[in-house]
Amino acid sequence: MNKSLGHEKYKYAAVATDVVIFTVVRGELKVLLIKMKKKPYTNKWALPGGLVHAEESVDDAAKRILEEKTGVSKVYLKQLAAFGRVGRDPFGRVVSVAYFALVSSDKLKLKTTEEYSDVAWFDVKKVTDLAYDHDEILRTAVSQLKGELMYSKISAGLLPTEFTLTDLQHLYEVILNRNIDKRNFRKKIQQSGLIKAVGKQRKGTASRPAALFKFI
Amino acid sequence: MNKSLGHEKYKYAAVATDVVIFTVVRGELKVLLIKMKKKPYTNKWALPGGLVHAEESVDDAAKRILEEKTGVSKVYLKQLAAFGRVGRDPFGRVVSVAYFALVSSDKLKLKTTEEYSDVAWFDVKKVTDLAYDHDEILRTAVSQLKGELMYSKISAGLLPTEFTLTDLQHLYEVILNRNIDKRNFRKKIQQSGLIKAVGKQRKGTASRPAALFKFI
DNA sequence: GCAAAAGTGTTGAAAGTACACCCATGA
DNA sequence: TCATGGGTGTACTTTCAACACTTTTGC
């Protein structure tokens, strides 16, 4: 969405997609932002996005943009909503279909340091004043992420295939931004049917070995 | 969406909106469909829809189309999802943002009889084989409608401003397609804070008068 | 007084929440 | 043996589900 469209001269609106890419690092829920060059958003941060090409589905466009910005593929992307206010994009009449995804920060550490300096992770709690209507998109994404966390496998992207219940709980605590009771969490998540024990243990931890689980 | 676009020649996708308009008549949940003329969908039924103009928001486009097809305005339209498969529209590369609404059948009785014969209400349970990907859109809409019914005021569009709890329960039973316990329903809906008593009663009913309520 | 719909409570089950101690391992 | 994190159960509260009779009105 940082290309000029000149779509003002067309009679109809064009389609873009913006992707809210979350990760968790050092106990913080972070979102990937890119720094813009073009006026009127010079040096403003924005969600990664781009126009949907004629020969690709909107889902595929979101995947493409995710991969372009992070190098990560095969991540589950979830459609959030369409944002279609008239003035939302000063470069033309563009409707954006927003997606969100959770990606493990170590899977893309290389990419974010290799990439130019105008791509960076930001603590979600501190982000404000994004370009376009991206503050609104981000708020919607955070809210939907929290709502779905306990009822879906979206968090799988943030953990290795095999993980401990404590790993999972810590992840949930960061995303939900609150403490969770260990016993209640274990009861609920094991009853949910979303994960199952793999029958192995994680050793070498200077403490009692933890059972490993995986998403089904 | 029943206009040729020729958007194949553009590089990017265009935006349309399709509106799933529900009503309840004679104990059935019905959806408004229009009969198409153009190949390859000649005589197929489809959801009302159309392209989003450059100067209107997607929300406004959905409202406009709702009003064009039903004559009803000031109805709450809820965004459902965007549908963006490449081949979903044989006339061009079009991404549709779908909405749904509930409108009282008596508010638009005139309109549907005045309108030409290729607009009609269909029992949702019997609808199949719609044009485009409209079967999928309809299924998604029905599912979301059922899910939100108890937690929002969307059903307000289907009732007069003042209604009895029995009216509301009958409506819910039709939409959810199951019986609801009267006492549990009354407890839950009155605790929800979505409605409140207006302090009046409906008289002249050959039975005990019922208290009237309204949505807040 | 009777037909017709309005209105109202209780009990049991299930799910959610709060809370504290013992266990297995590596160092 | 101790430091570290792993693992477990119970009591209370809240929510959901099942279920039947009395009340008020018009005729």
Side-chain angles (χ1 to χ4, degrees), chain A residues 36-84:
Chain A
M36 296 194 60
K37 287 171 184 155
K38 289 188 57 130
K39 285 187 185 182
Y41 290 136
T42 313
N43 291 329
K44 283 247 185 192
W45 295 89
L47 297 169
L51 288 163
V52 175
H53 298 165
E55 74 285 355
E56 66 185 351
S57 71
V58 183
D59 289 358
D60 287 344
K63 278 180 207 150
R64 172 174 58 78
I65 285 156
L66 173 65
E67 183 158 8
E68 281 170 12
K69 303 298 176 187
T70 68
V72 176
S73 56
K74 289 192 291 185
V75 168
Y76 177 64
L77 277 168
K78 168 103 187 162
Q79 193 189 110
L80 197 57
F83 294 82

Side-chain angles (χ1 to χ4, degrees), chain B residues 9 22 25 30 35 62 83 87 111 131 136 172 188 191:
Chain B
K9 65 192 170 193
F22 291 110
V25 200
K30 295 188 182 269
K35 197 188 233 176
F83 294 81
K111 192 79 182 182
E136 181 188 358
Y172 278 37
K188 188 168 178 186
Q191 280 169 7

Side-chain angles (χ1 to χ4, degrees), chain B residues 18-185:
Chain B
D18 291 300
V19 186
V20 184
I21 304 161
F22 291 110
T23 198
V24 170
V25 200
R26 284 186 296 279
E28 284 178 349
L29 180 63
K30 295 188 182 269
V31 60
L32 189 80
L33 299 176
I34 59 169
K35 197 188 233 176
M36 298 194 60
K37 287 170 184 155
K38 290 190 55 133
K39 287 186 182 182
Y41 289 136
T42 313
N43 291 330
K44 283 246 184 192
W45 295 89
L47 297 169
L51 288 163
V52 175
H53 298 165
E55 75 284 355
E56 67 184 353
S57 71
V58 183
D59 289 358
D60 287 344
K63 278 180 208 151
R64 172 176 56 79
I65 285 155
L66 173 66
E67 183 158 8
E68 282 172 11
K69 303 299 176 187
T70 68
V72 176
S73 56
K74 291 193 288 184
V75 168
Y76 178 63
L77 275 169
K78 168 103 188 163
Q79 194 191 108
L80 197 56
F83 294 81
R85 278 195 6 252
V86 170
R88 62 174 295 284
D89 187 333
F91 307 120
R93 179 68 182 105
V94 178
V95 172
S96 174
V97 180
Y99 288 76
F100 73 94
L102 289 169
V103 299
S104 167
S105 63
D106 50 74
K107 275 189 196 135
L108 43 81
K109 233 171 220 160
L110 296 167
K111 192 79 182 182
T112 50
T113 49
E114 276 169 11
E115 285 252 329
Y116 33 106
S117 70
D118 57 358
V119 179
W121 293 105
F122 288 81
D123 184 342
V124 163
K125 290 200 289 263
K126 291 174 189 158
V127 170
T128 54
D129 201 29
L130 299 179
Y132 305 104
D133 52 0
H134 288 185
D135 286 317
E136 181 188 358
I137 296 179
L138 177 58
R139 280 198 312 274
T140 309
V142 170
S143 152
Q144 186 156 335
L145 169 61
K146 288 183 180 180
E148 286 192 16
L149 195 60
M150 296 293 280
Y151 308 101
S152 77
K153 294 186 275 181
I154 40 176
S155 51
L158 273 179
L159 289 170
T161 314
E162 300 184 344
F163 52 86
T164 69
L165 293 182
T166 303
D167 293 342
L168 190 60
Q169 181 179 341
H170 288 338
L171 180 58
Y172 278 37
E173 287 180 331
V174 170
I175 294 173
L176 298 173
N177 198 28
R178 62 181 173 85
N179 293 329
I180 301 173
D181 178 82
K182 181 159 69 160
R183 280 167 291 190
N184 293 339
F185 177 77

Side-chain angles (χ1 to χ4, degrees), chain A residues 102 144-155 171-173 175-176 189 194:
Chain A
L102 289 170
Q144 187 157 335
L145 169 61
K146 289 183 180 181
E148 287 193 16
L149 196 59
M150 297 292 280
Y151 308 100
S152 77
K153 294 185 276 181
I154 41 177
S155 52
L171 180 58
Y172 277 38
E173 288 180 330
I175 295 173
L176 298 174
I189 201 76
L194 293 170

